[in-house]
Amino acid sequence: MKKRMCMLLAAVLLVTLCAGCGAPREEQTPPSDIFYDLTGIAPDETLLTVSGNAIPAELYFYWTSYTCSALEYQIGMYNSYYGYYSELIDSETGSLLWDAAFGSTGGTLSDYAREQAKNTVAFYASVENLARENGAELSEEDEKALTEEKASTIEELGGQEAFLSYLEKLSISEAGFDRVNRDIALFDKLVDQVMEEGSPLYLEPVDYDQYATYADHILLATVDLTTGAALSEEEIAAKRATAEELLEQLRAAEDVAALFTQLADEYSEDTGRASNPAGYIYTPGTMVAAFEDAAAALAPGQISDIVESSYGYHIILRRDLWQGLTENPEQRASLAEQHLGDLVSLAAQEAEIEESAKLEGFDAGAFYTDYIAAVTALNEAEQQAAGDGADDAGAGDSTGDGSDTGEGQKTE
């Protein structure tokens, strides 16, 4: 989670939607409500409650459009790079087939999008609930940072008018925009509590082990690490012999950790060792399975037998994770964030969620398709207005540069 997550949402949406976003208009108008035009539901009407936390229509539909946009991007990317999900894409238009079957539940892609949107709404509502329950509040400094970040966004977009145009295309009010940003800031405040000893959310040092492992290794490669080609049988046999010799030295050492570091510096062929001289703090699924399985079976300070993977022979030293995190606070914060994400997701799953009857039969895919069409039409209207303005400004300009060289006008 990053404080500029909602900006990333905008980036995802506006890649498709915001050609001409912020084009000057002759007079300022308040943001239009595309969602209301599409659904007939007022933006402040409660559509969902999450353990009593009311979610207005504008936020519900905002997160629905976000979810659909993210799915559109992800499915398109996987199709483009790997050829996956062709059954979900119209071969002629390239648009998603929202009514196509998707997932193991027998539902459609649209059903999946609606469920994911609901989960996202419940997640951020649960952030608000958890913050309230644990006394996590934004400080004056936090509020100032949000104000400055918003001002920076407005400046980057080209000013207040462009910002309102931006919100118009997202179909969200400024108050709704602020709420999304505050939720992200509240998440960060809760992460601080996870790391603060004595707080109700504090994660004990030993409990970080459920999220990551800290291990070093000596790698004697049996493949060319550049090309992946296997070495000769003779070379592989020599690597095995060296691994056995190093392991024998380590088994006999009084200070295993010190000797391990010395031998790893001298013999390890891991190309990442220069930037990770004490090993790796990694989450499950990051390393090859043989490495992870062997490291998981060790206690801190223990070394493994020779472990063979697709890269070669490893001798692994399990290190103390808490010590590593103490020396690397950024990685600790990342794991604390992961832990909080799990807590919030669990709270969202266990929350009492009530949906408005107006959402009965709501088709997320059809809604998103209509939303894209509405924003596209808005962009086209802005571009047309901007073009008409340019034509008017150039009327009577025979040079095409906006200057007036009519009779009686002195030119240099």
Side-chain angles (χ1 to χ4, degrees), residues 37-49:
D37 293 340
L38 296 179
T39 66
I41 300 175
D44 59 352
E45 183 172 346
T46 298
L47 288 187
L48 207 70
T49 59

Side-chain angles (χ1 to χ4, degrees), residues 174-248:
E174 195 162 349
F177 177 88
D178 291 341
R179 181 173 176 177
V180 172
N181 279 282
R182 287 179 61 83
D183 287 350
I184 296 164
L186 282 173
F187 186 93
D188 289 344
K189 297 297 286 187
L190 290 171
V191 170
D192 291 342
Q193 286 198 2
V194 170
M195 300 175 65
E196 181 182 343
E197 188 171 3
S199 82
L201 297 179
Y202 179 63
L203 184 64
E204 296 288 345
V206 67
D207 292 328
Y208 281 88
D209 284 342
Q210 64 186 300
Y211 293 104
T213 303
Y214 187 21
D216 197 1
H217 73 144
I218 300 170
L219 170 64
L220 298 170
T222 57
V223 297
D224 185 312
L225 295 176
T226 301
T227 66
L231 302 183
S232 68
E233 291 184 5
E234 293 78 8
E235 290 173 309
I236 291 174
K239 295 292 182 75
R240 177 78 189 195
T242 300
E244 290 173 350
E245 180 183 331
L246 297 180
L247 182 60
E248 185 177 349

Side-chain angles (χ1 to χ4, degrees), residues 10 78 106 170 189 203 233 248 281 306 313 347 381 383 409:
Y78 275 102
L170 294 178
K189 297 297 286 187
L203 184 64
E233 291 184 5
E248 185 177 349
I281 296 176
I306 295 172
Y313 299 117
Q383 291 171 342
Q409 175 72 35

Side-chain angles (χ1 to χ4, degrees), residues 100-400:
F102 183 77
S104 59
T105 62
T108 65
L109 180 59
S110 181
D111 295 332
Y112 177 80
R114 176 175 173 176
E115 187 63 23
Q116 290 301 108
K118 178 181 175 181
N119 292 342
T120 302
V121 170
F123 183 93
Y124 284 104
S126 295
V127 167
E128 295 176 347
N129 293 344
L130 202 61
R132 184 171 57 253
E133 292 164 9
N134 291 280
E137 298 179 346
L138 300 185
S139 65
E140 289 185 9
E141 184 178 351
D142 295 325
E143 296 285 3
K144 181 180 178 182
L146 284 175
T147 299
E148 291 175 350
E149 187 171 7
K150 182 177 177 180
S152 177
T153 299
I154 293 173
E155 182 179 357
E156 289 173 7
L157 287 170
Q160 183 68 18
E161 183 176 347
F163 176 63
L164 292 178
S165 177
Y166 163 90
L167 296 184
E168 183 178 11
K169 292 177 176 64
L170 294 178
S171 196
I172 191 171
S173 67
E174 195 162 349
F177 177 88
D178 291 341
R179 181 173 176 177
V180 172
N181 279 282
R182 287 179 61 83
D183 287 350
I184 296 164
L186 282 173
F187 186 93
D188 289 344
K189 297 297 286 187
L190 290 171
V191 170
D192 291 342
Q193 286 198 2
V194 170
M195 300 175 65
E196 181 182 343
E197 188 171 3
S199 82
L201 297 179
Y202 179 63
L203 184 64
E204 296 288 345
V206 67
D207 292 328
Y208 281 88
D209 284 342
Q210 64 186 300
Y211 293 104
T213 303
Y214 187 21
D216 197 1
H217 73 144
I218 300 170
L219 170 64
L220 298 170
T222 57
V223 297
D224 185 312
L225 295 176
T226 301
T227 66
L231 302 183
S232 68
E233 291 184 5
E234 293 78 8
E235 290 173 309
I236 291 174
K239 295 292 182 75
R240 177 78 189 195
T242 300
E244 290 173 350
E245 180 183 331
L246 297 180
L247 182 60
E248 185 177 349
Q249 292 182 49
L250 288 166
R251 295 289 189 210
E254 293 185 6
D255 189 339
V256 174
L259 180 60
F260 190 96
T261 298
Q262 177 185 330
L263 294 177
D265 288 342
E266 183 176 353
Y267 288 95
S268 183
E269 297 171 334
D270 179 2
T271 56
R273 184 160 188 81
S275 53
N276 298 277
Y280 299 89
I281 296 176
Y282 61 88
T283 54
T286 306
M287 314 294 276
V288 292
F291 183 103
E292 290 193 8
D293 291 345
L298 301 173
Q302 286 186 326
I303 57 172
S304 70
D305 291 326
I306 295 172
V307 177
E308 186 173 358
S309 78
S310 56
Y311 290 101
Y313 299 117
H314 308 258
I315 302 173
I316 301 169
L317 169 67
R318 177 78 176 264
R319 293 193 182 275
D320 183 88
L321 176 61
W322 180 247
Q323 179 181 344
L325 294 178
T326 301
E327 297 168 353
N328 194 327
E330 287 187 3
Q331 285 188 294
R332 182 191 173 196
S334 178
L335 296 180
E337 186 176 292
Q338 183 178 346
H339 173 69
L340 178 62
D342 289 346
L343 290 181
V344 175
S345 294
L346 180 61
Q349 291 171 17
E350 296 178 345
E352 182 179 346
I353 298 178
E354 297 180 5
E355 286 186 309
S356 167
K358 291 188 177 181
L359 286 176
E360 184 175 352
F362 174 66
D363 187 326
F367 163 82
Y368 179 66
T369 300
D370 291 343
Y371 169 64
I372 293 292
V375 177
T376 299
L378 189 60
N379 280 332
E380 290 173 351
E382 283 190 350
Q383 291 171 342
Q384 181 63 47
D388 290 346
D391 290 343
D392 291 344
D397 175 12
S398 59
T399 65

